[in-house]
Amino acid sequence: MANKKITFKTPQGIAQYPWLNNPDTQFDAEGHYKCNLRLSEAEAKPLMDEVRKAANDAFGDKSKNAKMPWKVDDETGEVVLITKSKFAPRFVDSTGQVIPDSKAPQVNSGSTIKAAGTMFPYNAGGNMGISLQLSGVQIIELAARGDGDLGFGNEGDGFVAAAENDNISNNGGSEDASYNF
């Protein structure tokens, strides 16, 4: 496997914690594009078998100790695939049409997507395993951003945010109320 790239393509799954439009720079200044993908065990099994085979080819007898790019949700039994890359993935829509980078929509948690890329074996610093290097995402269905009802109710009198097109401030329309200390 050292000289041969093995590509992967997932079945449809639910995006979890996607950083696909911008890199996550919290722990690395260069950033990583990443997304977890939630699948049923039956849907994930063919890809899991391919990854295990790639690990066996790369590490031989030691493959049973290799770290795999997934975890199993103890509550639901679903498999959560872990994909990442230093490079921005390309996007395609549900028909396979490439979406230009400048028009790529924001992919939120809960979106239905497929992921594609390359399996990458690693063995460094005592850690060995297979990672799923993300290179492309097919957007099947976009989930709305969770800006809606956050579970808070009306608390009566107090601060009321102005609507986006509302120029009237909270203090009866006098000058700039944003500096009313």
Side-chain angles (χ1 to χ4, degrees):
M1 182 170 146
N3 297 329
K4 183 180 173 194
K5 287 186 177 183
I6 298 177
T7 59
F8 73 90
K9 184 168 65 172
T10 69
Q12 288 185 22
I14 304 299
Q16 190 179 39
Y17 313 118
W19 284 85
L20 299 171
N21 300 87
N22 299 300
D24 178 5
T25 58
Q26 183 173 3
F27 299 109
D28 181 356
E30 292 180 23
H32 285 90
Y33 295 87
K34 59 187 181 178
C35 183
N36 292 350
L37 193 62
R38 224 175 225 301
L39 303 165
S40 72
E41 186 177 6
E43 292 169 326
K45 187 177 179 343
L47 180 57
M48 292 168 71
D49 290 344
E50 285 181 50
V51 172
R52 285 186 187 109
K53 182 181 180 324
N56 193 46
D57 292 348
F59 308 119
D61 293 339
K62 295 180 181 179
S63 67
K64 62 182 174 254
N65 298 322
K67 184 173 180 183
M68 296 295 159
W70 64 75
K71 16 182 196 182
V72 177
D73 185 318
D74 292 333
E75 291 181 22
T76 65
E78 291 177 310
V79 174
V80 180
L81 296 175
I82 302 163
T83 66
K84 60 184 173 180
S85 177
K86 290 183 180 182
F87 306 102
R90 297 297 314 264
F91 293 98
V92 298
D93 64 17
S94 61
T95 67
Q97 174 94 17
V98 174
I99 302 170
D101 293 341
S102 63
K103 298 198 186 268
Q106 177 68 39
V107 178
N108 300 305
S109 285
S111 295
T112 303
I113 64 170
K114 289 182 175 183
T118 306
M119 292 182 207
F120 180 77
Y122 61 88
N123 189 354
N127 294 315
M128 78 168 117
I130 302 288
S131 67
L132 298 178
Q133 299 291 309
L134 185 64
S135 63
V137 174
Q138 183 174 25
I139 302 169
I140 309 301
E141 187 176 325
L142 280 174
R145 186 166 166 231
D147 282 346
D149 179 15
L150 298 176
F152 295 109
N154 185 340
E155 294 295 324
D157 289 339
F159 174 78
V160 178
E164 284 186 44
N165 59 356
D166 190 359
N167 291 328
I168 301 172
S169 68
N170 240 9
N171 64 354
S174 66
E175 311 80 63
D176 186 4
S178 63
Y179 291 101
N180 185 6
F181 295 102

